[in-house]
Amino acid sequence: MAEPGTRSEIDHRQLGVHLYNATWKLLEQESRTPADDDAMLDASHASAYHWSRAEGAGPVNAARSHWQISRVNSVLRRGEAALYHAQRCLEIYTEHGIGDWDVASAYEALARAHRLAGNDVEYRRNLELGRGALTRIADDEDRVHIAEDLDELANRD
């Protein structure tokens, strides 16, 4: 058995991926029970935990974990938590010079969280920053996916 705080035989990468995907499955579920909501929130945090300990994981994994936790909290209508994790997501991308679709998705998360929190000016600002970031996405499929998320959010107005 490994000492506390050291790497063990646990495959943190595999668990991180599995929990990230389990979270998405719950996010996409048509209707959820309160227990499903709890499981979704728990799975998103557990995924982030395991990614933070996975061999070779880095800032991109941490930021994407914050993005997913923000999305979960937005769906659960927990504005303060959604905003915190969306901000951390963008901070990590900025600090490490990570770009492309990740930045556009961070702005999408910030727009979603600000909208939920009732911050209309910041919602609209981040929505536009997200749209502006679309032009810097290299892959057409990624660009379309993020654009759809931004459009879905804007169409709720």
Side-chain angles (χ1 to χ4, degrees):
M1 184 169 193
E3 292 292 319
T6 64
R7 302 264 180 208
S8 68
E9 297 300 316
I10 296 171
D11 187 340
H12 288 287
R13 177 177 294 280
Q14 180 182 359
L15 286 169
V17 168
H18 173 75
L19 290 160
Y20 192 93
N21 292 337
T23 302
W24 267 113
K25 186 175 178 183
L26 287 164
L27 276 166
E28 293 172 344
Q29 199 168 297
E30 287 291 321
S31 63
R32 287 181 309 276
T33 65
D36 291 334
D37 289 345
D38 291 344
M40 182 173 62
L41 185 61
D42 291 346
S44 68
H45 282 278
S47 174
Y49 170 83
H50 286 291
W51 270 115
S52 74
R53 282 147 180 79
E55 191 79 29
V60 167
N61 305 100
R64 289 177 184 169
S65 291
H66 280 289
W67 178 88
Q68 189 182 56
I69 294 169
S70 177
R71 174 59 75 90
V72 167
N73 279 287
S74 288
V75 167
L76 296 177
R77 309 211 41 84
R78 296 175 179 173
E80 186 177 334
L83 188 55
Y84 170 80
H85 289 285
Q87 288 171 330
R88 282 297 295 138
C89 175
L90 184 60
E91 287 169 4
I92 293 167
Y93 288 147
T94 302
E95 179 183 339
H96 294 279
I98 300 164
D100 204 74
W101 67 269
D102 289 296
V103 171
S105 70
Y107 287 128
E108 175 270 329
L110 279 164
R112 191 175 297 276
H114 278 296
R115 181 166 190 205
L116 179 61
N119 304 328
D120 192 58
V121 171
E122 285 301 306
Y123 155 67
R124 293 190 184 289
R125 185 176 79 80
N126 282 284
L127 191 63
E128 290 310 309
L129 287 168
R131 286 187 175 133
L134 290 173
T135 63
R136 297 184 296 277
I137 298 175
D139 183 80
D140 290 339
E141 190 175 320
D142 289 341
R143 188 177 324 104
V144 167
H145 178 73
I146 301 298
E148 288 172 349
D149 279 351
L150 290 166
D151 289 345
E152 176 265 329
L153 184 58
N155 288 334
R156 290 184 182 177
D157 288 341

